[in-house]
Amino acid sequence: WPEWGKCFAFWEEMLMAVLPLVALGVSLLGTGLSAYGQYRSGQAQKAAYDYNAKVAEGEAVTARAGAAREEEVHRAKLQRMLGTQRALYGAAGVDITSGSPLLTMMSTAEEGEREAEFIKYGGEVSATEKLNEARLNKFYGKQAYKSGLWGAGSTFFTGLGSAGLGYAGMKK
C-alpha cells in the first residue's frame, strides 16, 4: 500500500499547485462579469433616458400643435361672436360705428385677442416644460452611461487587485 500513499501525495500536491490558479481564474471571471454588468446597466439606463427624451420632445410638438388649434378655434368663435353682435345691432337699427355699440365690440375683440394670446402662451409654456424635460433626460442618460463606464472600470481594477492578492496569499 505504500504506492497508494505516494499517489495520493502526488495528487494532493498537484491540487495544491492548481487550486490557486483555478481560484484566480474564477475571481477574474467574476470580476469581468460584474464589470460587464455595470457597463450594460449604464447603457440600458441611457437608452431609457433617451427614449423618455424623445417622448418629451414629441409631447412638446403636440402641446404647440394643440395650442395652435385651440387658438384657431377660439379666434373663429370670436369672429362669429363679433358677427352676431353686428347682426343684432344692425337688426335693432343701431349705428355700430360710434358710441356704446362700437366700444362693446372693441371690448369683445380685445378680450378675445387676450384670450387667444393666453392660449398660445399656455401652449408655449407646456412645450418649453417638455423640452426642458427632454434635455434633462438626455443629461441623465449621458451621466448613466458614464457612471456605467466608471463603475465597470472600478469593479474591474478592484477585482484584479483582489484576485492578485488572493493568488499571492495562496502561493505562500
Side-chain angles (χ1 to χ4, degrees):
W1 296 95
E3 293 173 16
W4 282 102
K6 287 181 184 178
C7 185
F8 283 127
F10 169 75
W11 285 110
E12 182 181 11
E13 189 176 313
M14 287 300 291
L15 181 62
M16 294 311 283
V18 171
L19 188 60
L21 291 175
V22 170
L24 176 65
V26 169
S27 180
L28 291 176
L29 179 62
T31 295
L33 290 174
S34 180
Y36 182 71
Q38 286 184 326
Y39 169 73
R40 291 295 295 161
S41 175
Q43 285 185 324
Q45 287 177 355
K46 182 183 184 309
Y49 282 121
D50 287 347
Y51 173 79
N52 290 340
K54 285 189 184 296
V55 168
E57 288 169 346
E59 289 173 347
V61 169
T62 302
R64 278 195 178 113
R69 178 65 183 139
E70 189 179 343
E71 178 187 6
E72 182 181 311
V73 167
H74 176 75
R75 287 182 190 280
K77 284 181 183 178
L78 176 62
Q79 289 305 313
R80 284 192 302 274
M81 183 185 300
L82 289 170
T84 300
Q85 281 180 341
R86 277 192 297 274
L88 291 172
Y89 282 133
V94 176
D95 178 17
I96 61 171
T97 60
S98 65
S100 294
L102 178 61
L103 293 175
T104 300
M105 289 176 52
M106 286 175 53
S107 176
T108 300
E110 288 173 1
E111 183 62 31
E113 182 59 29
R114 273 194 299 275
E115 183 65 26
E117 289 298 318
F118 183 73
I119 291 168
K120 183 178 181 179
Y121 175 75
E124 282 302 311
V125 167
S126 294
T128 300
E129 287 173 354
K130 291 300 178 181
L131 290 175
N132 287 339
E133 182 181 326
R135 286 183 196 100
L136 195 57
N137 275 314
K138 288 177 183 180
F139 172 76
Y140 287 157
K142 288 176 185 176
Q143 293 307 106
Y145 181 76
K146 289 176 185 177
S147 177
L149 288 177
W150 282 104
S154 173
T155 296
F156 182 73
F157 288 115
T158 299
L160 281 180
S162 295
L165 287 174
Y167 178 73
M170 287 182 155
K171 290 297 282 181
K172 288 183 180 180

